[in-house]
């Protein structure tokens, strides 16, 4: 192997440090930054690892991962998540900050760029109990993150505020000889000259990288911002001029939807939400909303797609909920099924069928699979010890017992799995177990049960997994979680329970038992489809024609990638197995956890009462979708994104384009004579459209949303530079130019309506109605690789144009934060340890009103040191705002920074111990 590096390139620091740390034998060659060492790339790229096979690896993190694998060290799930965060969040911020610091001298702006990633790292480090990121020994994640941050944090002039934990970790990693040697070799210690020379040769576009291929086996070999070639510009302009062809409108959905020969047949499921409680925002984004975006996208692309979901209704949790509310389990299921359905309808989740698991078809199909497994020898009978709560007079389901994990000692492990280390647990193995209903200590009792013989199916499962993960789209966490289950070998899995509310086990020796919910619930996908159409087997026993997508949060992964596939493989009935498993991380609420019992967080039935449209909720949840790591719902950030991205960016552009047509051209799209600037915009928009399609084809939902905002940003800049409101007052040439700019802009707005359809369906339809867009325009632009065409030609008459979005005011946001903040003391919020499935006896309304009262009357304790630090940040932010105004920057950019300034001032007041009076009280005093 040969590793090629260059001086000044921060990426080379990490690969050299990893090389020395792992001790892998490899030749190292220092080359010039401009040297093209990968022959088929159109630009130079370093570092590069040349493998013995002749293949090139040119993603720094992939090289690091390869070296660790070769050395025999396996990366953990936690390490992989940190690596992905470094690629998607930290790395772009670092390169942007370095460009500002080294080449522009904008140190305060650079600190602002780094603020969010450093805050995220500081918060995570503050919660750890180990010396390094994930353990007491240094790992690949420590090296990669340290090397990324080294050029910034080793600069003594860089001021990033209080980073006690980041600094401690950074110094601990930096004293490693491997890190010191690599930094000295590449960046000459702390010298900025080598780095500056490297950055000067780096195109500005490369300071903001996009995810791209990592090796020569990738289909495309570019991972930076695209620079338009003259040929691409001409091709885009030519495609634009073809206009709408004779393609009909998107086909209407005719039920029942069944697989069709010669079509791409997509079966899409979302994890079945448990019926015993109201879903919160994290539940919604984790499964049904993400699935809905992809379903809407697939329909736009012309796929033959069926989207099914429903409520999971059996199990102990339902029995307990029924007892608490004085209802029967059936009545509880009826009640909450209706609540779930109404919530998803308000969020515009467009299921083809939303069913439930408490049906005759569920019993029929589950029992059929059971008998097939039994007849083929894939079931075992064992007497097991179980935990029984004598107070509640019942055996405890796994999720209703909690204790200390026997493996990692996490104090809140569940009876089936530890959320911290991910290991499987038998409930009786827990130390200090507690019944989660009554908090009493359960006792151990014996009972005879049936087990799915997973070890007997392991070989067949691994063979299928290799095929599915290689050919399909499995998220990184789905792959890692699945492999972690297989790493130590599978164990038999109990599929029966001593309960009453469940699918009955048909075996005569087990007539008093029901199926365990994790054996039974995934079969709900089949039974729900069977309740939709009696031809359900055309979807579920047709793997040759059907492509199956599963959407879920990461805690559901092993049951969909191991347990359920083993059940279907063992049944040997040609079942359709998952091709693409899409799992999210967790969404937190304002740095804590959602809790219905404490009144913390927004739950589905509450979102409507805020008056914020469902499309805005959808937009923000998808904007912060936890694709690669846990993310946080924040009221202030939601307001910021609404006011800057929706109102000032997207809405501003679409409204201006339509208003120019109405005001200057009497509602008719003017004639368009394209010049080079127009063609370049069309090419850039075409490129973003293609990237949007590539990302959504791979279910990169959050990243694809950024393409929409990029297009409107390009559109705003195009209008701002060309100033049609001025040119319309000039001579014929200027008026013609105003007409072209207006016509191109309104066509970009029409494209945006198509791209928004999966994300904000009501806004999308409103735009098309205002523009009177042809019904076939969306499908025409979304086919194949994507084509931006002139769908609103000269002479097309548009309708009435009006604003799409409203500003969220600070007073509103503060009110929402108080209303949904709960009534717990602050120190309890940090624990975030409440099971949302166990509500308290107090009503939600009582708790919410109590929470608002407490928040409005509490005396805030002053923190002089924090106030001083925040005051310094206010000064820096104020200078930044003044500089932007002096440079006549875009209103959206200035507005975003002003919002940050106001928020900082508010934090200063709180740190000084001043109560924030509601605005209406201030008005009365005045």
């Amino acid at each position: 192997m040969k590793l090629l590096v260059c001086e000044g390139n921060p990426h080379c620091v990490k690969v050299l440090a990893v090389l020395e740390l792992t001790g892998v034998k490899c030749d190292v060659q220092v080359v010039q930054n401009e040297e093209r060492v990968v022959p088929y790339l159109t630009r130079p790229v370093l570092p590069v690892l040349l493998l013995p096979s002749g293949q090139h690896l040119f993603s720094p993190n992939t090289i690091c991962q390869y070296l660790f694998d070769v050395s025999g060290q396996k990366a953990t799930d936690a390490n992989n998540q940190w690596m992905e965060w470094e690629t998607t969040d930290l790395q772009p911020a670092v390169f942007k900050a370095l460009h500002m610091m080294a080449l522009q001298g904008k140190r305060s702006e650079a600190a602002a760029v780094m603020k969010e990633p450093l805050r995220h790292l500081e918060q995570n480090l503050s919660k750890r109990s180990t010396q390094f990121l994930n353990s007491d020994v240094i790992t690949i994640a420590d090296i990669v993150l340290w090397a990324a941050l080294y050029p910034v944090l080793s600069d003594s002039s860089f001021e990033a505020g209080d980073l006690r934990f980041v600094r401690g970790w950074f110094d601990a990693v930096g004293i490693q000889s491997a890190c010191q040697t690599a930094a000295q070799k590449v960046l000459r210690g702390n010298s900025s000259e080598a780095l500056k020379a490297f950055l000067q040769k780096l195109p500005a576009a490369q300071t903001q990288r996009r995810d791209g291929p990592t090796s020569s086996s990738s289909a495309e070999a570019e991972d930076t911002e695209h620079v338009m070639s003259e040929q691409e510009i001409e091709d885009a302009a030519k495609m634009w001029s073809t206009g709408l062809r004779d393609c009909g409108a998107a086909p209407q959905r005719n039920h029942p939807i069944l697989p069709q020969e010669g079509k791409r047949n997509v079966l899409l499921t979302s994890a079945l939400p448990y019926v015993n409680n109201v879903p919160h925002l994290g539940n919604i984004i984790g499964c049904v909303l993400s699935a809905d975006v992809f379903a809407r996208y697939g329909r736009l692309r012309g796929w033959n797609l069926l989207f099914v979901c429903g409520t999971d209704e059996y199990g102990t949790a339902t029995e307990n909920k029924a007892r608490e509310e004085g209802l029967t389990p059936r009545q509880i299921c009826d009640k909450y099924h209706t609540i779930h359905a109404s919530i998803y309808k308000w969020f515009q989740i467009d299921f083809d069928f939303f069913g439930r698991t408490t049906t005759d078809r569920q019993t029929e199909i589950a029992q059929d699979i059971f008998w097939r497994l039994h007849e083929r020898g894939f079931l075992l009978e064992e007497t097991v010890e179980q935990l029984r709560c004598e107070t509640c007079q019942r055996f405890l389901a796994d999720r209703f017992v909690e204790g200390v994990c026997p493996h990692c000692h996490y104090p809140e492990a569940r009876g089936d799995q530890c959320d911290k280390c991910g290991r499987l647990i038998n409930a009786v193995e827990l130390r200090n177990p507690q019944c989660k209903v009554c908090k009493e200590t359960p006792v151990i009792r014996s009972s005879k049960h049936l087990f799915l013989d997973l070890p007997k199916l392991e070989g067949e499962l691994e063979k299928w997994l290799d095929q599915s993960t290689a050919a399909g789209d499995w998220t990184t966490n789905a792959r890692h979680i699945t492999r972690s289950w297989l790493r130590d070998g599978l164990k038999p899995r109990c599929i029966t329970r001593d309960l009453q509310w469940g699918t009955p086990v048909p075996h005569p020796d087990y007539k008093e038992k029901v199926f365990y919910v994790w054996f039974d619930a995934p079969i709900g996908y089949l039974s729900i489809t069977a309740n939709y159409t009696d031809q359900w087997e055309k979807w579920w026993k047709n793997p040759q024609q059907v492509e199956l997508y599963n959407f879920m949060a990461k805690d559901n992964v092993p049951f969909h990638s191991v347990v359920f596939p083993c059940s279907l493989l063992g049944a040997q009935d040609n079942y359709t197995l998952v091709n693409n498993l899409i799992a999210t991380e967790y969404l937190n609420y304002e740095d804590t956890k959602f809790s219905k019992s404490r009144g913390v967080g927004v739950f589905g039935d509450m979102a409507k009462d805020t008056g914020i449209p469902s499309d805005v909720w959808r937009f923000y949840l998808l904007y912060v979708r936890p694709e690669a790591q846990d993310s946080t719902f924040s009221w202030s950030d939601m307001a910021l994104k609404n006011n800057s991205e929706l109102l000032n960016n997207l809405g501003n552009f679409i409204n201006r384009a339509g208003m120019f047509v109405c005001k200057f051209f009497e509602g008719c799209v003017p004639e368009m004579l394209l010049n080079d600037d127009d063609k370049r915009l069309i090419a850039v928009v075409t490129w973003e459209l293609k990237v949007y399609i590539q990302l959504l084809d791979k279910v990169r939902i959050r990243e694809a949303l950024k393409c929409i905002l990029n297009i409107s940003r390009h559109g705003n800049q195009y209008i701002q530079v060309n100033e049609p409101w001025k040119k319309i007052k000039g001579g014929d040439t200027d008026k013609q130019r105003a007409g072209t700019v207006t016509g191109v802009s309104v066509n970009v707005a029409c494209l945006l309506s198509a791209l928004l359809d999966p994300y904000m369906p009501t806004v999308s339809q409103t735009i098309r109605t205002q523009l009177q867009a042809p019904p076939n325009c969306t499908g025409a632009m979304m086919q194949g690789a994507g084509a931006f065409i002139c769908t609103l030609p000269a002479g097309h008459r548009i309708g009435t144009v009006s604003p799409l979005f409203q500003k969220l005011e600070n007073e509103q946001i503060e009110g929402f934060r108080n209303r949904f903040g709960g009534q717990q003391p602050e120190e309890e919020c940090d624990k975030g340890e409440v099971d949302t499935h166990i509500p308290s006896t107090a009503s939600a309304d009582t708790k919410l009103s109590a929470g608002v009262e407490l928040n409005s009357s509490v005396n805030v304790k002053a923190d002089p040191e924090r106030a001083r630090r925040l005051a310094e940040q206010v000064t820096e932010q104020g200078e930044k705002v003044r500089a932007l105004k002096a440079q006549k920057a875009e209103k959206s950019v200035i507005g975003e920074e002003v919002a940050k300034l106001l928020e900082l001032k508010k934090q200063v007041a709180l740190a000084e111990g001043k109560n924030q009076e509601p605005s209406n009280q201030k008005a009365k005093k005045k």
Side-chain angles (χ1 to χ4, degrees):
M1 291 190 300
K2 179 185 286 188
L3 179 63
L4 298 105
V5 297
C6 67
E7 284 191 349
N9 184 342
H11 290 308
C12 295
V13 176
K14 63 177 74 167
V15 296
L16 285 174
V18 167
L19 181 63
E20 182 168 336
L21 190 71
T22 57
V24 174
K25 292 184 178 180
C26 177
D27 293 332
V28 178
Q29 182 179 345
V30 179
V31 298
Q32 295 298 313
N33 179 53
E34 302 90 341
E35 192 168 332
R36 285 180 56 191
V37 294
V38 183
Y40 47 81
L41 290 184
T42 59
R43 57 176 177 78
V45 60
L46 288 167
V48 171
L49 182 64
L50 179 60
L51 303 180
S53 63
Q55 187 182 24
H56 298 82
L57 298 183
F58 46 82
S59 162
N61 286 6
T62 301
I63 295 172
C64 293
Q65 185 69 68
Y66 181 83
L67 293 172
F68 257 80
D69 288 344
V70 168
S71 70
Q73 303 178 53
K74 298 297 182 184
T76 63
D77 294 342
N79 280 331
N80 288 320
Q81 289 172 18
W82 275 119
M83 298 264 287
E84 190 161 345
W85 176 76
E86 190 271 346
T87 300
T88 57
D89 291 63
L90 180 61
Q91 202 179 104
V94 165
F95 267 81
K96 188 173 181 180
L98 289 176
H99 204 268
M100 290 176 169
M101 291 167 62
L103 303 183
Q104 300 172 350
K106 297 179 178 179
R107 301 198 174 277
S108 60
E109 287 88 342
V113 168
M114 292 299 301
K115 180 180 177 181
E116 184 57 33
L118 287 174
R119 184 190 68 83
H120 173 78
L121 184 58
E122 177 76 6
Q123 285 183 343
N124 279 273
L125 288 171
S126 67
K127 298 173 184 176
R128 81 196 195 288
S129 58
T130 56
Q131 182 179 4
F132 298 106
L133 283 173
N134 299 310
S135 69
D136 286 320
V137 296
I138 200 163
T139 66
I140 182 174
D142 293 291
I143 297 292
V144 167
L145 266 69
W146 176 87
L149 287 167
Y150 178 80
V152 175
L153 295 185
S154 62
D155 188 331
S156 58
S157 63
F158 179 78
E159 296 182 4
D162 184 13
L163 294 173
R164 179 164 62 93
F165 292 101
V166 169
R167 291 286 183 185
W169 161 83
F170 182 78
D171 292 341
V173 179
I175 62 173
Q176 307 293 319
S177 61
C179 296
Q180 292 179 356
T181 303
Q184 187 63 42
K185 187 175 292 186
V186 176
L187 299 176
R188 304 175 200 163
N190 291 343
S191 171
S192 62
E193 293 306 313
L195 175 64
K196 188 173 182 180
F198 167 75
L199 291 171
Q200 285 173 334
K201 297 171 185 175
L202 190 69
Q206 289 193 32
T207 62
Q208 295 204 26
R209 298 165 59 107
R210 276 192 176 159
D211 291 341
T214 59
S215 72
S216 53
S217 62
S218 302
E220 294 182 22
E222 297 290 338
D223 68 346
T224 61
E225 286 288 335
H226 189 68
V227 179
M228 306 306 303
S229 69
E230 291 302 319
Q231 187 62 52
E232 284 176 306
I233 292 172
E234 286 304 317
D235 289 346
K238 185 177 179 181
M239 175 59 71
W240 150 274
S241 64
T242 60
L244 271 176
R245 297 171 183 169
D246 296 329
C247 57
Q252 296 296 312
R253 274 185 280 172
N254 296 314
H255 296 287
I257 301 167
L258 298 173
Q260 298 177 26
E261 197 74 39
K263 283 265 197 178
R264 183 180 181 185
N265 299 301
V266 174
L267 176 58
L268 196 155
T269 72
S270 172
L272 306 181
Y274 202 67
V275 79
N276 80 317
N277 219 324
V278 179
H280 57 64
L281 298 182
N283 303 139
I284 291 167
I285 185 58
C287 50
V288 295
L289 178 53
S290 296
D292 179 67
V293 171
F294 192 69
R296 289 175 180 274
Y297 170 73
R299 295 180 190 122
L300 287 179
R301 298 276 279 154
W303 304 342
N304 184 48
L305 185 145
L306 178 67
F307 178 20
V308 297
C309 188
T311 43
D312 173 14
E313 300 187 349
Y314 283 130
T316 306
T318 303
E319 288 186 359
N320 288 337
K321 187 72 169 180
R323 188 170 65 248
E324 288 170 10
E325 296 196 14
L327 301 172
T328 66
R330 169 60 68 185
Q331 289 171 328
I332 278 291
C333 292
D334 291 344
K335 172 184 174 179
Y336 281 95
H337 175 81
T338 302
I339 291 172
H340 276 260
S342 65
I343 288 169
Y344 302 140
K345 182 178 180 180
W346 187 79
F347 274 96
Q348 304 177 78
I349 312 299
D350 192 13
F351 303 112
D352 289 303
F353 188 73
F354 185 71
R356 53 201 305 185
T357 57
T358 52
T359 65
D360 292 340
R361 298 311 298 268
Q362 173 75 7
T363 301
E364 173 192 325
I365 295 171
Q367 290 183 348
D368 176 66
I369 291 173
F370 165 80
W371 279 123
R372 295 184 70 88
L373 289 167
H374 186 273
E375 291 162 2
R376 286 157 181 76
F378 292 118
L379 297 182
L380 302 172
E381 181 183 278
E382 287 186 19
T383 299
V384 299
E385 293 183 327
Q386 291 177 250
L387 293 178
R388 177 180 172 84
C389 179
E390 297 298 346
T391 304
C392 297
Q393 285 294 299
R394 64 177 59 225
F395 285 101
L396 295 179
D398 293 340
R399 297 207 168 211
F400 277 80
V401 60
E402 200 171 71
V404 178
C405 174
H407 305 294
C408 71
H409 311 298
Y410 179 58
E412 300 159 24
R414 298 193 309 266
D416 57 351
Q417 186 179 9
C418 174
D419 282 338
K420 185 174 182 182
C421 69
R423 299 278 290 273
L424 290 180
I425 299 172
N426 286 323
V428 293
E429 296 175 346
L430 287 173
R431 299 173 186 174
N432 304 323
Q434 268 194 341
C435 170
K436 290 182 68 176
V437 177
C438 67
K439 303 303 179 185
E440 294 296 323
T441 301
V443 296
I444 297 177
R445 294 283 184 268
S446 297
S447 182
K448 204 165 63 169
H449 284 280
L450 288 168
F451 286 72
L452 179 61
D453 194 349
L454 292 180
K456 196 171 182 179
L457 289 158
E458 189 167 351
E460 195 173 349
L461 177 72
E462 291 225 44
K463 182 181 176 182
W464 164 74
L465 274 173
D466 288 342
Q467 295 172 347
S468 182
T469 55
D473 287 316
W474 286 53
T475 51
T476 302
N477 56 359
R479 293 171 186 268
H480 292 153
I481 291 169
T482 303
R483 289 299 170 190
S484 70
W485 270 53
L486 291 166
R487 190 165 48 228
D488 301 325
L490 297 179
K491 307 290 189 297
R493 189 77 176 164
C494 187
I495 64 166
T496 56
R497 286 293 185 270
D498 290 295
L499 302 173
Q500 296 177 337
W501 184 244
T503 302
V505 178
H507 196 290
D509 294 346
Y510 296 88
K511 58 185 179 181
E512 301 299 323
K513 300 182 191 294
V514 299
F515 287 127
Y516 176 40
V517 69
W518 273 118
F519 172 79
D520 184 61
I523 297 172
Y525 299 132
L526 283 65
S527 71
I528 287 168
T529 310
N531 280 299
Y532 166 69
T533 171
D534 57 7
Q535 301 179 70
W536 65 275
E537 291 184 351
K538 290 184 177 180
W539 284 109
W540 283 104
K541 295 186 180 181
N542 189 7
Q544 295 78 22
Q545 281 191 312
V546 173
E547 191 177 356
L548 174 59
Y549 282 81
N550 288 161
F551 283 78
M552 67 200 66
K554 64 181 178 182
D555 57 336
N556 286 346
V557 166
F559 305 103
H560 288 78
S561 65
V562 176
V563 179
F564 184 44
C566 278
S567 300
L568 298 184
L569 287 167
Q572 297 176 359
D573 204 14
N574 195 40
Y575 280 107
T576 303
L577 301 179
V578 63
N579 306 95
N580 310 276
L581 203 156
I582 314 302
T584 62
E585 300 292 316
Y586 296 136
L587 179 74
N588 295 316
Y589 178 81
E590 297 276 4
D591 293 326
T592 186
K593 288 185 178 182
F594 289 87
S595 170
K596 188 77 171 177
S597 62
R598 289 186 297 153
V600 176
V602 181
F603 286 72
D605 54 350
M606 304 170 181
K608 182 178 180 181
D609 297 336
T610 63
I612 299 172
S614 65
D615 267 13
V616 175
W617 282 105
R618 287 174 63 107
F619 166 81
Y620 183 65
L621 290 174
L622 293 162
Y623 192 97
V624 297
R625 182 175 184 260
E627 289 188 0
Q629 64 202 27
D630 292 357
S631 62
T632 298
F633 174 90
S634 160
W635 280 110
S636 57
D637 187 54
M638 183 182 186
L640 183 63
K641 296 300 184 293
N642 177 84
N643 297 344
S644 59
E645 294 290 10
L646 290 184
L647 189 63
N648 294 339
N649 177 15
L650 184 65
N652 181 49
F653 169 71
I654 293 171
N655 190 249
R656 290 170 88 187
M659 288 300 295
F660 290 159
V661 176
C662 295
K663 186 175 180 180
F664 301 148
F665 302 98
E666 299 179 340
C668 284
V669 176
E671 182 183 9
M672 291 163 277
L673 299 178
L674 305 182
N675 67 14
D676 289 344
D677 287 344
D678 307 320
K679 292 178 180 178
R680 185 171 297 278
L681 174 74
I682 290 168
V684 168
V685 170
T686 299
W687 170 256
E688 292 287 354
L689 167 60
K690 292 179 184 295
V691 172
Y692 169 93
I693 288 175
Q694 290 170 9
L695 289 169
L696 273 183
D697 276 353
K698 295 291 184 182
V699 207
R700 300 288 294 277
I701 293 172
R702 186 187 65 196
E703 294 304 310
L705 178 56
K706 306 296 173 61
C707 295
I708 298 174
L709 302 175
N710 287 342
I711 289 174
S712 60
R713 203 166 282 117
H714 288 306
N716 274 316
Q717 292 169 352
Y718 172 72
I719 288 176
Q720 206 65 29
V721 168
N722 286 281
E723 300 180 322
W725 63 91
K726 289 184 179 178
K727 287 186 171 58
I728 195 67
K729 300 174 184 176
D732 291 343
T733 302
D734 280 349
K735 287 179 179 176
Q736 175 61 62
R737 183 71 195 134
T740 299
V741 172
T742 298
V744 170
S745 297
V746 81
N747 270 279
V748 173
C750 189
L751 170 66
L752 286 169
S753 75
L755 304 187
L756 280 167
D757 189 272
Y759 294 89
M760 306 177 77
T762 299
V763 168
S764 170
Q765 185 57 54
T766 300
I767 297 168
R768 286 200 293 278
T769 301
Q770 291 185 5
L771 300 180
Q772 296 292 298
N776 61 339
C777 68
T778 299
M781 291 188 283
M782 295 289 285
Q783 299 307 306
F788 177 34
I789 54 180
C790 180
T791 54
L792 308 179
H796 173 86
R797 180 168 291 280
I798 71 171
T800 303
V801 176
S802 59
L804 298 168
F805 306 107
Q806 291 185 335
K807 185 178 181 181
L808 285 174
E809 301 291 349
N810 289 334
E811 291 80 2
Q812 288 177 272
I813 294 305
E814 284 305 311
F816 292 142
R817 184 181 283 114
N818 289 335
R819 176 180 171 187
F820 298 107
Q823 60 176 358
Q824 72 291 344
E826 186 177 347
E827 58 269 20
E828 288 185 14
C829 292
D830 294 337
K831 296 177 184 176
E833 52 170 3
V834 173
D835 188 295
T836 58
H837 294 296
I838 309 177
S840 71
T841 52
S843 72
D845 290 338
T846 303
K847 293 201 165 198
L848 286 175
S849 62
V852 172
E853 254 183 31
L854 281 167
N855 282 323
S856 63
S857 63
V858 71
N859 290 319
V860 183
K861 187 178 179 180
D863 185 345
E865 179 57 27
R866 184 166 182 270
R868 183 189 62 77
R869 292 198 306 269
L870 287 167
E872 291 174 357
Q873 293 177 37
V874 166
T875 301
E876 289 180 7
Q877 187 67 15
E879 291 174 357
K880 184 176 182 180
V881 169
R882 284 190 289 275
L884 288 170
K885 289 180 178 179
Q887 296 164 11
K888 296 184 178 178
E890 286 187 44
K891 287 183 179 179
S892 60
V893 176
I894 296 174
E896 195 169 331
E897 298 305 326
V898 168
K900 291 178 184 177
L901 178 61
L902 294 173
E903 181 63 27
L904 282 170
K905 288 182 177 179
K906 195 174 298 178
Q907 295 300 320
V908 169
L910 289 172
E912 290 174 345
K914 298 174 182 175
N915 284 326
Q916 294 287 300
E917 286 184 306
S919 57
N920 60 339
Q921 290 183 10
K922 290 183 179 180
K924 287 178 183 177
K925 288 182 180 179
K926 289 179 184 177

